[in-house]
Amino acid sequence: MTAQPTGDPRGAVETVFRIESPRIVAAVARLVRDVGLAEELAQDALVAALEQWPRDGVPDNPGAWLMATARHRAVDLIRRRENYARKLAEVGRSLDTTVAPEEPSGPDDIDDDLLRLVFTTCHPVLSTQARTALTLRLLGGLTTPEIARAFLVPEPTVAQRIVRAKRTLATKNIAFEVPYGPDREARLGSVLDVIYLIFNEGYAATAGDDWLRPALCEDALRLARVLSGLMPKEPEVHGLTALLEFQASRSAARTGPDGAPVLLKDQNRGRWNRMLIARGIQALGRAEATAGGPPGPYALQATIAACHARAYTYEETDWRSIATLYALLAARAPSPVVELNRAVAVSMADGPAPALEIVDALAAEGTLRDYHLLPSVRGDLLQRLGRPAEARAEFERAAALTHNARERALLERRAEACG
């Protein structure tokens, strides 16, 4: 999907590059076999657009223009380096951006640059934190400050992780490929995690003026579907695919005509995509059929999402089952965010008072002190308990913590509604 040009050339450059940069980096990395260098060449294309578009106008297909510019610069670079002579012979025809990619060489091979980039950035030579930061930078299009805010760590720490990760991949000469056999299985957990992170950034953007970034959701869902075909016996692959199908089914109902977020209880479920829900149910069935033991974290989350998808109204939601599933998820993959989600389900099943005890325990723990959804949930519980002044303070604190303009406006409105 290519972004459409706007009347503001510089704004068009920034918008298109944010959407297209993962594909550009992935395509160029396939040529130069260096993730860091590929990002630099993509940035060169951005600079060229900033110079030319205000002068010459926004091209009809701005995404293709950026891709072609980056690819041409990659080929020029290869030509200038004698030690890339062999690679130049292999990619010479890449100057023509209309040339179709080579066919996969075997049933376990796959020709997908984005998936290659995901597996490359999830190589075991990188730490878990480095994999996550690098993938969000390259595939999620997040800036270093946005990644730092998302994971509640200092910006210099994130910047160092990204620089070191790119340097490690280059010095270790990591192949730009989707690996086979045991190597593929060893990286699978990290790959699933980063695909989920990419989807989440599209589903509820960390920062910016828009709450949704549909292109990221589409990329993540496509990659999950590709993996399902590539690894049909892996239950968690199907679990993640099911989860993303269910989540994506709500997209059209999650924002109003002005782009403002719409809370789950207020969504028009007639706008939920029933085809995607059906696909989610099928994928969840495959996860259950291939599981040799208890369901994994993604299968559990998909089962929770299925409870929502099967309810035609908010009032029909089986909150008690959801609370039970969150308890299982907390035991299987404990995290404060899972516990916060469990508190929401408990509040609907058993009332706000017991849920507030869970949230207060999380607040006392301090792990989520800068996570805006903690005061947001607490504000909702206090409002339902008839404590509007405290609720208003929590919504105001949540609004101050979020870096997304749409979400901030929603939280400010909720604060005002508390009187």
Side-chain angles (χ1 to χ4, degrees):
M1 185 179 75
T2 302
Q4 295 301 311
T6 69
D8 172 20
R10 294 188 67 87
V13 173
E14 295 171 2
T15 300
V16 175
F17 187 77
R18 189 172 178 93
I19 294 172
E20 300 291 343
S21 60
R23 299 175 185 83
I24 296 171
V25 171
V28 174
R30 186 180 186 182
L31 298 180
V32 300
R33 304 288 169 172
D34 185 317
V35 171
L37 182 56
E39 187 181 20
E40 291 177 13
L41 291 167
Q43 291 289 339
D44 286 347
L46 171 64
V47 171
L50 288 169
E51 293 173 349
Q52 295 183 37
W53 292 9
R55 181 188 69 225
D56 303 333
V58 180
D60 292 336
N61 192 333
W65 189 99
L66 286 168
M67 177 70 80
T69 300
R71 286 165 64 93
H72 278 291
R73 291 184 182 225
V75 173
D76 287 343
L77 178 64
I78 294 172
R79 281 178 172 156
R80 290 196 302 269
R81 293 184 174 185
E82 292 182 358
N83 62 335
Y84 278 97
R86 180 182 57 81
K87 293 183 179 180
L88 176 60
E90 295 173 359
V91 302
R93 289 200 302 166
S94 295
L95 282 168
D96 180 3
T97 59
T98 63
V99 173
E102 296 177 3
E103 290 296 320
S105 59
D108 288 333
D109 199 2
I110 187 164
D111 193 76
D112 190 297
D113 287 338
L114 280 176
L115 195 58
R116 284 191 184 92
L117 184 57
V118 171
F119 270 97
T120 301
T121 56
C122 289
H123 197 280
V125 298
L126 303 179
S127 69
T128 301
Q129 296 91 339
R131 296 174 203 170
T132 301
L134 184 59
T135 305
L136 287 178
R137 177 83 177 96
L138 297 180
L139 283 103
L142 272 69
T143 64
T144 299
E146 288 170 348
I147 298 171
R149 287 195 294 265
F151 289 92
L152 310 177
V153 294
E155 289 182 28
T157 301
V158 172
Q160 289 174 2
R161 287 175 184 171
I162 293 171
V163 170
R164 289 172 182 167
K166 290 189 287 189
R167 185 186 302 130
T168 299
L169 292 176
T171 56
K172 297 286 187 181
N173 198 26
I174 302 302
F176 186 71
E177 64 182 6
V178 177
Y180 296 89
D183 287 343
R184 180 181 294 175
E185 294 173 5
R187 297 189 216 177
L188 181 59
S190 291
V191 169
L192 295 181
D193 289 346
V194 297
I195 289 175
Y196 188 39
L197 285 170
I198 293 165
F199 183 90
N200 280 342
E201 178 58 28
Y203 196 67
T206 305
D209 296 329
D210 297 319
W211 199 39
L212 300 180
R213 295 176 60 191
L216 286 183
C217 290
E218 291 169 9
D219 278 342
L221 182 52
R222 182 181 62 80
L223 291 176
R225 289 170 178 169
V226 168
L227 271 182
S228 288
L230 196 64
M231 308 181 78
K233 296 181 180 180
E234 291 289 343
E236 278 292 80
V237 173
H238 298 304
L240 175 64
T241 304
L243 174 60
L244 301 194
E245 300 279 9
F246 287 132
Q247 299 288 70
S249 72
R250 306 180 201 165
S251 295
R254 294 185 69 242
T255 56
D258 60 349
V262 178
L263 297 174
L264 179 63
K265 65 183 180 64
D266 299 322
Q267 288 176 17
N268 176 4
R269 300 195 176 205
R271 300 188 67 198
W272 286 11
N273 189 317
R274 290 290 152 185
M275 182 190 72
L276 292 180
I277 290 174
R279 293 186 65 134
I281 291 172
Q282 291 174 353
L284 184 55
R286 289 191 290 270
E288 293 168 348
T290 54
Y298 286 117
L300 282 171
Q301 291 179 76
T303 305
I304 292 169
C307 290
H308 290 292
R310 291 189 174 106
Y312 282 89
T313 66
Y314 186 73
E315 291 70 25
E316 293 176 30
T317 307
D318 186 354
W319 288 106
R320 193 162 298 282
S321 291
I322 292 174
T324 301
L325 287 165
Y326 268 121
L328 292 173
L329 180 60
R332 182 75 171 78
S335 87
V337 173
V338 169
E339 194 68 2
L340 183 62
N341 287 329
R342 185 175 76 87
V344 173
V346 167
S347 78
M348 300 304 298
D350 300 321
L356 185 61
E357 293 179 8
I358 299 172
V359 173
D360 284 347
L362 286 171
E365 181 184 289
T367 309
L368 299 179
R369 63 181 177 275
D370 295 323
Y371 185 53
H372 70 283
L373 291 182
L374 178 64
S376 175
V377 170
R378 194 167 190 274
D380 182 74
L381 297 176
L382 290 168
Q383 187 177 36
R384 290 165 56 190
L385 286 167
R387 296 158 64 179
E390 295 172 82
R392 179 178 183 126
E394 291 295 320
F395 286 131
E396 288 173 345
R397 180 168 178 271
L401 286 173
T402 185
H403 295 273
N404 184 280
R406 296 289 188 180
E407 198 165 22
R408 185 183 306 112
L410 172 65
L411 290 165
E412 289 171 347
R413 288 196 299 272
R414 296 200 71 186
E416 292 173 3
C418 293

